[in-house]
Amino acid sequence: MNSIAYDIENEKTVSSRIVHYFQRFHIGDILRKCNAYKETGIPVIAVFLYLFQLVFRNRSMYLDMQSEKAPRFGKDTIYRLKNSAHINWLRFTTLLSAKVIRETIEPLTDGERRNAFIIDDSIFERDRSKTVELLANVFDHAHHRYVRGFRMLTLGWSDGVSFIPVNSCLLSTENQENRINEANPVNKQAFGAKIREMAKSKAPDVLLQLIQEAQKAGIKAKYVLFDSWFTYPKTILALKKMNLDTVAMVKKTDKIQFLYHGEMCSDKQIFNRNKKRRGRAKYLLSVTVEVCGEIKIPAKLVFVRNRNKKSDYLVLISTDTSLTEQEIIQLYGKRWDIEVFFKTSKSVLKLTGECRSISYDAMCTQTAIVFARYIFLAVAMREEKDDRSIGPLFYEISDEIADITFEDALRKLELFLEKLSQIFNGIHVDICALIAEFIADLPADLAAILDFNKQKLAKA
């Protein structure tokens, strides 16, 4: 950590809050555990700190190198770090998030709170590039078109108050015809070879690997939340073997069927066969079914009405049948936090705009840096918002911080329905409002730096 103090003393530009974050969670030690270290020369922690704080200084690396305040190392040093195939960035973000959750968030909540993993993907667009490693034509479900880039499959963790990104993988495609470029040769023993193979795998398979890495790091959760793109019986059964219950949305299709009264039925058929609840009920129907595969497990289907369109509804599934319908809806509402994370990462933290490298390793490095930035903001917001983080006295006298309310969960489900019916543009303002609310809860010095209203919004 001496190198950090040296850089701070000479440049006077890095916030003391960031330095405290690095020291508090021993980020230098985590980097070494992930094979990011040097025996001689500029320490890796110094280079990583410089890249981390660029967005908080509103500077680009290129302009910084031209100014009088350039760091004491050159751009070649930065490129060597970014392009290294030996650094396990997936493990880095997993260990960092595990440490933050264990030391900062879990002590502030009791064991009864329903913590959950959240899985979703977002487009990592590289439309202006042609020679990017493993570049592929991927389908953007938000805008219903193919774009050049990757699907950033992300695993997050939430206690209903704070969302912490855990790890991710930039998925290319398993279909070779849709891959524009292939992977560069990498030492088979290096982490770069493993992550490139993951990039060419199917999303449900990678999903299970990301969760396994999180569990190995000691991150605890009872539920996994995801939308209909990942809700397949095979995935649900695999998660159950990992002692995780699923709370997810189900596709309204005949291809996915459940055992209901001794007969395999789709959710549409189940909905049509049953009498719905009348009036202004929060949900229309709730039935118990079985998910079939190598084994059979009980599950509960909850059909939620669309207030804006009477003929439309959502179908939620929970493999924890002890949950009430309200609890299932409330728990699934936490999944919306990952949408805010994606938008914040692209619009505020420069996920795609800051790195224009054609190296797959460099893009993985950029993703890890942005994850570390978001975790930093999440910790700052939690400690600013939760009085119990100040000291034992507040922990004794304060009530448990409120979980997501049932009304908030329903509102987020309505936003999702609007997303389905109006594509993404129809709820762009709502997501921007949620990001503005997230930034407003940050400490004043960080909120002033990340003035979302003044920044040009990137397309999600």
Side-chain angles (χ1 to χ4, degrees):
M1 299 307 294
N2 292 334
S3 60
I4 293 183
Y6 177 84
D7 286 340
I8 297 302
E9 184 176 354
N10 286 273
E11 294 188 12
K12 303 295 183 181
T13 56
V14 181
S15 168
S16 60
R17 191 184 287 269
I18 295 177
V19 177
H20 175 68
Y21 169 68
F22 271 60
Q23 294 174 340
R24 176 183 178 184
F25 296 110
H26 305 285
I27 291 181
D29 293 338
I30 296 176
L31 285 169
R32 280 190 288 274
K33 290 179 182 178
C34 303
N35 207 32
Y37 61 89
K38 291 179 66 177
E39 295 182 358
T40 59
I42 304 297
V44 171
I45 184 66
V47 183
F48 185 83
L49 173 64
Y50 169 74
L51 293 173
F52 178 92
Q53 50 82 38
L54 276 177
V55 72
F56 299 102
R57 293 172 52 208
N58 291 319
R59 299 293 294 271
S60 69
M61 188 184 74
Y62 173 78
L63 292 177
D64 229 22
M65 292 294 177
Q66 310 300 320
S67 69
E68 297 178 355
K69 297 182 180 180
R72 59 192 179 92
F73 44 82
K75 61 181 180 181
D76 290 343
T77 303
I78 296 174
Y79 291 149
R80 280 195 295 271
L81 174 67
K82 284 189 170 185
N83 296 330
S84 174
H86 297 279
I87 302 176
N88 190 338
W89 291 113
L90 188 151
R91 189 180 183 212
F92 169 78
T93 57
T94 305
L95 292 179
L96 175 59
S97 59
K99 193 172 184 64
V100 168
I101 292 169
R102 183 172 58 252
E103 297 182 4
T104 304
I105 299 178
E106 283 187 344
L108 300 177
T109 58
D110 60 31
E112 299 300 320
R113 186 179 288 268
R114 298 186 182 94
N115 300 331
F117 289 123
I118 304 174
I119 281 280
D120 203 358
D121 61 357
S122 182
I123 298 298
F124 190 99
E125 194 168 336
R126 293 299 299 270
D127 241 0
R128 297 182 180 181
S129 307
K130 295 182 179 179
T131 57
V132 174
E133 188 178 1
L134 284 175
L135 186 69
N137 289 315
V138 293
F139 188 72
D140 185 353
H141 294 284
H143 298 93
H144 292 272
R145 61 185 178 91
Y146 277 92
V147 298
R148 287 199 296 265
F150 304 87
R151 292 170 58 200
M152 188 176 75
L153 182 64
T154 301
L155 173 68
W157 180 94
S158 175
D159 66 341
V161 179
S162 299
F163 175 82
I164 304 294
V166 176
N167 52 37
S168 70
C169 179
L170 293 176
L171 297 179
S172 177
T173 176
E174 70 276 7
N175 187 355
Q176 190 173 6
E177 294 181 357
N178 286 339
R179 283 202 300 271
I180 300 172
N181 298 314
E182 295 298 328
N184 295 333
V186 176
N187 186 342
K188 293 183 179 180
Q189 303 300 320
F191 171 73
K194 176 184 176 181
I195 198 69
R196 284 167 171 79
E197 287 302 315
M198 288 178 63
K200 294 183 285 186
S201 304
K202 294 182 178 180
D205 297 332
V206 178
L207 178 155
L208 299 176
Q209 294 182 56
L210 296 181
I211 293 178
Q212 287 173 353
E213 290 292 328
Q215 289 183 326
K216 286 180 183 178
I219 302 177
K220 299 177 182 179
K222 186 179 179 182
Y223 301 95
V224 182
L225 316 179
F226 45 81
D227 63 15
S228 57
W229 303 112
F230 306 99
T231 310
Y232 297 98
K234 181 179 178 181
T235 304
I236 295 174
L237 294 174
L239 291 173
K240 193 66 176 179
K241 290 181 180 179
M242 300 167 67
N243 297 319
L244 291 169
D245 283 308
T246 297
V247 176
M249 189 171 295
V250 183
K251 287 183 180 179
K252 288 179 280 189
T253 174
D254 295 330
K255 295 182 179 180
I256 299 176
Q257 297 186 333
F258 306 95
L259 185 62
Y260 179 64
H261 290 173
E263 183 180 351
M264 296 302 292
C265 302
S266 67
D267 50 1
K268 290 183 179 180
Q269 293 171 326
I270 294 173
F271 184 76
N272 292 331
R273 291 183 183 183
N274 288 274
K275 185 178 180 181
K276 289 72 176 176
R277 302 175 76 216
R278 292 186 175 182
R280 298 182 178 180
K282 301 296 184 182
Y283 65 92
L284 293 169
L285 177 66
S286 176
V287 297
T288 301
V289 297
E290 288 185 318
V291 181
C292 299
E294 297 179 0
I295 58 174
K296 294 180 181 178
I297 59 173
K300 183 181 287 187
L301 294 182
V302 179
F303 297 78
V304 183
R305 70 168 69 246
N306 183 359
R307 296 179 182 178
N308 300 321
K309 189 177 181 182
K310 293 184 179 180
S311 61
D312 196 14
Y313 58 89
L314 294 178
V315 186
L316 302 181
I317 185 171
S318 171
T319 55
D320 184 357
T321 55
S322 65
L323 295 176
T324 65
E325 290 76 15
Q326 288 83 359
E327 289 172 336
I328 292 172
I329 295 172
Q330 182 182 19
L331 186 56
Y332 185 77
K334 297 179 182 181
R335 195 204 69 83
W336 191 258
D337 289 340
I338 200 170
E339 302 285 358
V340 179
F341 162 73
F342 287 140
K343 188 66 177 174
T344 304
S345 299
K346 295 177 182 180
S347 301
V348 182
L349 301 181
K350 301 182 180 180
L351 174 66
T352 56
E354 197 173 50
C355 177
R356 309 310 300 173
S357 174
I358 64 174
S359 166
Y360 186 79
D361 295 307
M363 290 182 290
C364 292
T365 305
Q366 176 65 16
T367 303
I369 292 170
V370 171
F371 274 43
R373 289 170 178 169
Y374 192 91
I375 293 172
F376 165 66
L377 295 177
V379 170
M381 185 188 76
R382 181 61 177 263
E383 294 185 337
E384 183 81 2
K385 192 174 182 180
D386 193 347
D387 289 336
R388 292 165 305 151
S389 62
I390 299 175
L393 176 64
F394 289 95
Y395 183 79
E396 296 295 333
I397 67 175
S398 296
D399 294 329
E400 176 77 5
I401 191 168
D403 202 341
I404 179 176
T405 64
F406 182 60
E407 289 74 15
D408 287 339
L410 284 175
R411 181 174 62 86
K412 291 178 179 181
L413 285 178
E414 289 177 358
L415 289 176
F416 187 85
L417 282 167
E418 292 179 15
K419 178 179 178 180
L420 293 178
S421 59
Q422 304 174 13
I423 313 178
F424 184 80
N425 294 329
I427 57 168
H428 185 270
V429 174
D430 295 297
I431 293 184
C432 291
L434 290 174
I435 297 174
E437 182 180 343
F438 171 80
I439 293 178
D441 286 334
L442 293 173
D445 54 343
L446 294 177
I449 293 172
L450 299 173
D451 190 349
F452 180 67
N453 294 324
K454 295 182 180 179
Q455 298 204 32
K456 183 179 180 181
L457 300 183
K459 292 183 178 181

